[in-house]
């Protein structure tokens, strides 16, 4: 997952080399999200039938292809191709790897396995910009070395995956796989919509940090050190991982609405940073907003996975991440479109207001649902 955010601190260097607008940055970034969504929609539950390992091996191949393309990227189409392959890899990893970790874990450690799965997603996404920011700022060949290191990490991942057991009983041959939209079992639908809205709002915040965050740091705050850019983005994902640690104490039913409240506080801090150009507020927004996103994500994954039959778990989780990745793509493109007429700061303010409303709606609904369930003697 680190490879999917590896280019974040490097977009300024690519703009110097190739020459393109901030809108192009958001479009290139969104191509990744559309690649994820395409995979999750068409083959998101294929691992439920052909097995987890073949799907994850395919994801590693796509990730390696993305790194190779970025090594020679000298045009916008090549950047888009690299991002598309990266999105395909993330789409193959996301739901499948989450289900795989849950199934590999002993039943007594299922709760910890849920944390490991979501922390691997968020931790990997956070380590990508940190790694490339440090290497591009303090090591030679800033547009080469990060992707060479990533290829080395992929080789290690490939070797580890080969020794893991398959968890899908009676897995069918890969050639029997057919694209189709994931289906939600009836027992999942009650929690899916509000959990998906919360995931959408949370991922939109992370999408803003990983796409136009570097531009705001450079243009609005005068921060041009790529290591600092990577560190700020890393802070958001680290806070997301730490926020997930709170979920077992809260319970998944309360984690999503409380996560929405914390996310709204993070969005308010982000609005303050955009309005007054204060770096400290941006760092606080990354920490607070990331923690809220992490609480909401782990709670949503737990609720959806817990309500899903085993044979539909991969598809249900993939459907949840489809909604989440729409949050990365659509709002970010909206910010790019608004940057021209409004400027980057004001476009960001519009974004924060819209996402805060979504998070509030989801949080209120789920909190009322949890309170009514407890009053009725439910979980």
């Amino acid at each position: 997952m680190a490879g999917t955010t590896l280019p974040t601190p490097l977009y300024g260097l690519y703009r110097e080399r190739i020459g393109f607008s901030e809108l192009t940055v958001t479009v290139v970034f969104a191509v990744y999200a559309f690649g994820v969504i395409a995979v999750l929609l068409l083959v998101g539950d294929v691992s439920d039938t052909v097995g987890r390992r073949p799907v994850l091996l395919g994801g590693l191949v796509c990730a390696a292809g993305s790194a190779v393309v970025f090594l020679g990227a000298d045009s916008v189409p090549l950047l888009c191709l690299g991002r598309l392959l990266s999105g395909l890899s993330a789409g193959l990893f996301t739901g499948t790897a989450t289900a795989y970790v849950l199934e590999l874990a002993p039943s007594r450690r299922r709760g910890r396995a849920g944390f490991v799965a979501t922390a691997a997603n968020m931790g990997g996404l956070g380590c990508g910009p940190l790694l490339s920011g440090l290497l591009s700022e303090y090591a030679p060949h800033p547009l080469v070395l990060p992707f060479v290191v990533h290829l080395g990490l992929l080789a290690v991942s490939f070797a580890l995956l080969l020794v893991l057991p398959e968890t899908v009983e009676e897995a069918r041959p890969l050639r029997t796989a057919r694209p189709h939209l994931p289906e939600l079992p009836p027992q999942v639908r009650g929690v899916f919509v509000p959990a998906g809205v919360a995931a959408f709002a949370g991922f939109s915040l992370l999408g803003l940090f990983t796409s136009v965050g570097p531009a705001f740091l450079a243009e609005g705050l005068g921060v041009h050190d790529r290591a600092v850019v990577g560190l700020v983005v890393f802070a958001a994902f680290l806070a997301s991982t730490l926020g997930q640690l709170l979920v077992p104490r809260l319970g998944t039913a309360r984690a999503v609405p409380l996560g929405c409240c914390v996310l709204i506080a993070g969005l308010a801090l982000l609005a303050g940073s955009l309005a007054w150009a204060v770096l400290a507020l941006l760092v606080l927004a990354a920490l607070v907003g990331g923690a809220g996103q992490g609480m909401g994500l782990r709670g949503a994954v737990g609720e959806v996975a817990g309500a899903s039959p085993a044979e539909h778990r991969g598809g249900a989780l993939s459907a949840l991440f489809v909604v989440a990745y729409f949050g990365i793509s659509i709002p970010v493109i909206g910010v790019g479109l608004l940057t021209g007429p409004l400027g980057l700061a004001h476009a960001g303010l519009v974004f924060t207001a819209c996402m805060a409303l979504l998070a509030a709606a989801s949080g209120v609904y789920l909190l009322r649902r949890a309170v009514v369930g407890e009053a009725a003697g439910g979980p």
Side-chain angles (χ1 to χ4, degrees), residues 305-331:
S308 302
E311 64 273 17
H312 294 292
R313 187 172 295 126
L317 290 172
S318 293
L320 176 66
F321 281 106
V322 165
V323 177
Y325 275 96
F326 268 118
I328 280 184
S329 56
I330 295 175

Side-chain angles (χ1 to χ4, degrees), residues 209-222:
F209 272 102
T210 51
S211 59
V212 299
F216 176 68
L217 280 164
E219 299 172 13
L221 301 175

Side-chain angles (χ1 to χ4, degrees), residues 168-198:
V168 175
E169 298 180 2
E170 300 179 0
R172 302 174 188 173
L174 188 59
R175 65 177 180 274
T176 63
R178 297 291 184 272
H180 66 279
L181 297 178
E183 297 181 3
L184 287 178
Q187 57 267 50
V188 180
R189 295 169 188 169
V191 299
F192 185 85
V193 172
V197 170

Side-chain angles (χ1 to χ4, degrees), residues 318-375:
S318 293
L320 176 66
F321 281 106
V322 165
V323 177
Y325 275 96
F326 268 118
I328 280 184
S329 56
I330 295 175
V332 165
I333 292 178
V335 171
L337 290 171
L338 291 174
T339 296
L342 299 181
L344 184 57
H346 287 90
L349 289 172
V350 173
F351 159 86
T352 56
C354 293
M355 292 307 103
L357 288 174
L358 279 180
S362 175
V364 169
Y365 174 86
L366 283 171
L367 189 59
R368 289 182 60 189
R369 187 175 184 272
V371 171
V372 170
E374 288 182 357

Side-chain angles (χ1 to χ4, degrees), residues 17-367:
R17 172 191 281 190
I18 302 171
F20 48 77
S21 66
E22 194 59 45
L23 175 60
T24 302
V25 173
T26 61
V27 171
V28 169
F29 180 83
V31 166
Y32 155 77
F34 291 137
V36 178
I37 291 166
V39 170
L40 293 178
L41 282 176
L42 296 178
V43 294
D45 60 350
V46 71
S47 70
D48 291 331
T49 55
V50 305
R52 311 300 186 199
R53 291 174 68 214
V55 175
L56 295 177
L57 288 171
L60 290 174
V61 170
C62 290
S66 172
V68 170
V69 170
F70 269 106
L71 284 172
D74 58 0
S75 65
V76 171
L78 281 178
L79 290 178
C80 289
L81 176 60
R83 292 301 287 159
L84 177 62
L85 288 170
S86 183
L88 297 178
S89 72
L92 293 171
F93 291 146
T94 303
T96 300
T98 301
Y100 197 25
V101 170
L102 293 173
E103 292 162 355
L104 285 170
S107 58
R108 66 183 183 278
R109 300 193 177 209
R110 193 60 55 85
R112 183 177 297 179
F115 167 70
V116 169
T118 50
N121 270 291
M122 293 298 104
L125 291 168
C127 287
L130 181 63
L131 175 65
S132 61
L134 290 170
L135 291 177
S136 64
E137 187 67 30
Y138 302 117
H141 311 295
L143 294 179
V144 174
L145 190 57
F147 300 103
V148 172
V149 172
H150 182 225
L151 286 170
L153 294 173
L154 289 173
V156 175
S157 301
F158 188 90
L160 290 173
L161 186 59
L162 290 178
V163 302
L164 290 175
E166 179 56 66
T167 57
V168 175
E169 298 180 2
E170 300 179 0
R172 302 174 188 173
L174 188 59
R175 65 177 180 274
T176 63
R178 297 291 184 272
H180 66 279
L181 297 178
E183 297 181 3
L184 287 178
Q187 57 267 50
V188 180
R189 295 169 188 169
V191 299
F192 185 85
V193 172
V197 170
F200 180 98
F203 267 63
S204 69
L205 176 69
L206 298 182
L208 189 75
F209 272 102
T210 51
S211 59
V212 299
F216 176 68
L217 280 164
E219 299 172 13
L221 301 175
V223 177
H224 300 279
D225 188 309
R226 290 184 294 276
V228 174
V229 172
L231 189 60
V232 170
V233 178
F234 171 76
F237 288 101
L238 175 64
S240 172
T241 304
L242 296 177
Q244 295 169 37
L245 288 171
L246 300 174
V247 173
R249 296 183 179 181
L250 298 171
T252 56
R254 289 190 175 275
V256 181
L258 291 178
C260 287
C261 293
V262 178
L263 177 64
I264 291 171
L267 289 166
L269 289 167
L270 176 60
S273 174
L274 293 168
W276 300 310
V278 178
L279 178 59
L281 287 178
L282 184 66
V283 175
L284 283 175
L287 293 171
V288 175
Q293 188 275 340
M295 292 167 62
L297 175 64
R298 188 177 177 189
V301 168
E303 287 285 280
V304 172
S308 302
E311 64 273 17
H312 294 292
R313 187 172 295 126
L317 290 172
S318 293
L320 176 66
F321 281 106
V322 165
V323 177
Y325 275 96
F326 268 118
I328 280 184
S329 56
I330 295 175
V332 165
I333 292 178
V335 171
L337 290 171
L338 291 174
T339 296
L342 299 181
L344 184 57
H346 287 90
L349 289 172
V350 173
F351 159 86
T352 56
C354 293
M355 292 307 103
L357 288 174
L358 279 180
S362 175
V364 169
Y365 174 86
L366 283 171
L367 189 59

